[in-house]
Amino acid sequence: MLKQENGGGDGSAGCNNWPRICDTCRVSACTVYCRADSAYLCAGCDARVHAANQVASRHERVWVCEACERAPAAFLCKADAASLCAACDADIHSANPLASRHHRVPIPPISGYGAPAGEEGFLTRGGEEEEEFMDEEDEEEAASWLLLNPMKNNNNLNNGFLFNGEVDEYLDLMDGGHSQFTDQYGQNQQQQQYGVVSHKSYGGDSVVPVQCGEGKTHQLQQQQQQAQHFQLGLDFEPSKAAYSYSASISQSVSISSMDVGVVPESTMNDVSISHLRTPKGTIDLFSGPALQLPCQLTPMDREARVLRYREKKKTRKFEKTIRYASRKAYAETRPRIKGRFAKRTDVEAEVDQMFSTTLMTETAYSIVPSY
DNA sequence: GTGGTTCTAGTCACCACAAAATCGA
DNA sequence: TCTCGATTTTGTGGTGACTAGAACC
């Protein structure tokens, strides 16, 4: 595979402003991005590589963003006559109200050498090629985050970005709100911002910091309010894509505790978004009554959201979050048979009891392991 | 290019039980 | 409205089974 090595590597604008170099010749600036090869290619190499055989000629490619020249273009702005990646599209078209009204359409991938694919091209893009798009997840997420597009929810028409109904865990719309994820991912900042102390006590059992400041509550209320009035301002042709749609997406996204740090119950007291909570770590984002999805955002709001999204991405953690340290400690000491918890014999229980009692007397307060 | 085998990496269910949550009196 | 006891639910980690993809022939 020709994985991009030059530049940011994340498909975004990266740390410098130089155009991305062709992954093949490493001389010319790239003009297209081949998803199948996960490679950025210049016009010459594109022609050479994808005209080589029939299979290669079927590779779907997209133009590279004309603004940053470093990421696959996702949208074509008719007003600017420019192909832009999701990030640049967001940046440019959130600059002012006028720009935000630019008519933009998702760019169909170039399928078959030399001839851009029409609708059919990206409608037929099947599951087998789906994984190839994971490299652009970043842009995709940002795009989905910004462009709540009915077409996107159509599983097919995502400018080649296939969502299959999956909901990005960072999708902050619910959070608009304050998602449970926010509590974790923004934990550090929030702790500093609100002066929240990490609460660790024997009884409390909390490893995940408890956040209960007034400021926090106030912010949450504001965010909830904002979520209610959240509106998407993208001005795609109303006749084709009415963005003031109210989606009724019954979509349960099950996320294991490995992926997601769930905020302790105590935190939820502050968050009166009861419908967000579902048992067993299941994030039931859209079940229940039809979700009135936001429709109009001011450019500033949008920009703020993009920034917040990017900040979250930077600080996101995939480590498992321990909600109850005591349970963890206990689980670690429990007898196992082939990894499974085994029944504890009376003797073991007695020894354990003695041990814990000793520990308690030695350390007035229990030691909650730090992770 | 195709098909079969092997290897590697990732995911998930399983288990017992203390702690937390919920419910009713 | 508060308290208390009983009941139900949740969360915890190591291991093996399973699967998908890569590598090789």
Side-chain angles (χ1 to χ4, degrees), chain A residues 249-292:
Chain A
I249 311 167
S250 185
Q251 179 77 275
S252 283
V253 182
S254 183
I255 302 171
S256 76
S257 59
M258 291 293 289
D259 305 323
V260 173
V262 185
V263 178
E265 285 77 3
S266 56
T267 311
M268 298 309 292
N269 293 338
D270 295 333
V271 188
S272 56
I273 319 175
S274 59
H275 64 272
L276 280 179
R277 292 200 64 201
T278 53
K280 290 194 172 184
T282 298
I283 311 301
D284 197 358
L285 289 173
F286 297 107
S287 65
L291 173 65
Q292 297 296 326

Side-chain angles (χ1 to χ4, degrees), chain A residues 172-313:
Chain A
D172 215 9
L173 298 173
M174 298 303 300
D175 160 317
H178 198 83
S179 75
Q180 296 180 16
F181 304 110
T182 311
D183 280 337
Q184 184 196 4
Y185 298 122
Q187 214 172 66
N188 295 337
Q189 291 99 321
Q190 287 171 354
Q191 279 182 28
Q192 291 170 357
Q193 187 175 353
Y194 298 111
V196 178
V197 247
S198 185
H199 180 68
K200 291 180 183 180
S201 68
Y202 186 70
D205 222 8
S206 303
V207 170
V208 181
V210 178
Q211 301 159 344
C212 52
E214 271 185 31
K216 168 94 174 174
T217 310
H218 180 64
Q219 191 199 34
L220 287 174
Q221 286 170 347
Q222 280 186 328
Q223 286 174 333
Q224 287 167 28
Q225 217 169 356
Q226 189 185 355
Q228 287 167 1
H229 302 304
F230 180 91
Q231 289 183 318
L232 197 65
L234 286 171
D235 199 20
F236 280 75
E237 273 187 358
S239 58
K240 291 181 182 174
Y243 277 105
S244 57
Y245 81 109
S246 67
S248 177
I249 311 167
S250 185
Q251 179 77 275
S252 283
V253 182
S254 183
I255 302 171
S256 76
S257 59
M258 291 293 289
D259 305 323
V260 173
V262 185
V263 178
E265 285 77 3
S266 56
T267 311
M268 298 309 292
N269 293 338
D270 295 333
V271 188
S272 56
I273 319 175
S274 59
H275 64 272
L276 280 179
R277 292 200 64 201
T278 53
K280 290 194 172 184
T282 298
I283 311 301
D284 197 358
L285 289 173
F286 297 107
S287 65
L291 173 65
Q292 297 296 326
L293 278 177
C295 299
Q296 199 109 49
L297 256 191
T298 68
M300 281 187 69
D301 283 342
R302 197 181 303 114
E303 191 174 357
R305 283 171 176 275
V306 172
L307 286 173
R308 194 147 50 96
Y309 166 81
R310 287 179 180 160
E311 192 59 35
K312 271 193 213 171
K313 286 213 71 165

Side-chain angles (χ1 to χ4, degrees), chain A residues 41-63:
Chain A
L41 303 169
C42 64
C45 291
D46 177 44
R48 185 166 46 81
V49 171
H50 292 110
N53 57 61
Q54 238 177 349
V55 175
S57 71
R58 287 204 300 266
H59 285 182
E60 290 179 355
R61 286 146 287 144
V62 291
W63 301 113

Side-chain angles (χ1 to χ4, degrees), chain A residues 44-234:
Chain A
C45 291
D46 177 44
R48 185 166 46 81
V49 171
H50 292 110
N53 57 61
Q54 238 177 349
V55 175
S57 71
R58 287 204 300 266
H59 285 182
E60 290 179 355
R61 286 146 287 144
V62 291
W63 301 113
V64 170
C65 173
E66 291 181 35
C68 63
E69 297 183 304
R70 297 178 63 77
F75 302 98
L76 172 68
C77 173
K78 291 188 174 179
D80 295 328
S83 305
L84 302 169
C85 66
C88 291
D89 176 68
D91 288 339
I92 291 170
H93 292 106
S94 64
N96 58 65
L98 207 61
S100 71
R101 295 177 64 85
H102 284 182
H103 181 209
R104 285 159 280 151
V105 294
I107 298 180
I110 307 164
S111 181
Y113 179 68
E119 284 288 295
E120 196 184 343
F122 74 88
L123 278 174
T124 54
R125 195 180 56 71
E128 63 207 16
E129 292 179 22
E130 195 175 323
E131 291 78 11
E132 294 158 5
F133 295 82
M134 295 309 289
D135 288 341
E136 296 138 40
E137 192 182 11
D138 190 58
E139 300 302 333
E140 179 180 319
E141 281 180 336
S144 70
W145 199 69
L146 267 177
L147 311 171
L148 241 191
N149 188 336
M151 293 166 71
K152 280 181 176 295
N153 292 327
N154 204 8
N155 279 5
N156 287 327
L157 298 168
N158 294 333
N159 176 35
F161 295 139
L162 202 64
F163 283 79
N164 284 337
E166 286 183 12
V167 179
D168 177 21
E169 59 188 41
Y170 287 91
L171 191 68
D172 215 9
L173 298 173
M174 298 303 300
D175 160 317
H178 198 83
S179 75
Q180 296 180 16
F181 304 110
T182 311
D183 280 337
Q184 184 196 4
Y185 298 122
Q187 214 172 66
N188 295 337
Q189 291 99 321
Q190 287 171 354
Q191 279 182 28
Q192 291 170 357
Q193 187 175 353
Y194 298 111
V196 178
V197 247
S198 185
H199 180 68
K200 291 180 183 180
S201 68
Y202 186 70
D205 222 8
S206 303
V207 170
V208 181
V210 178
Q211 301 159 344
C212 52
E214 271 185 31
K216 168 94 174 174
T217 310
H218 180 64
Q219 191 199 34
L220 287 174
Q221 286 170 347
Q222 280 186 328
Q223 286 174 333
Q224 287 167 28
Q225 217 169 356
Q226 189 185 355
Q228 287 167 1
H229 302 304
F230 180 91
Q231 289 183 318
L232 197 65
L234 286 171

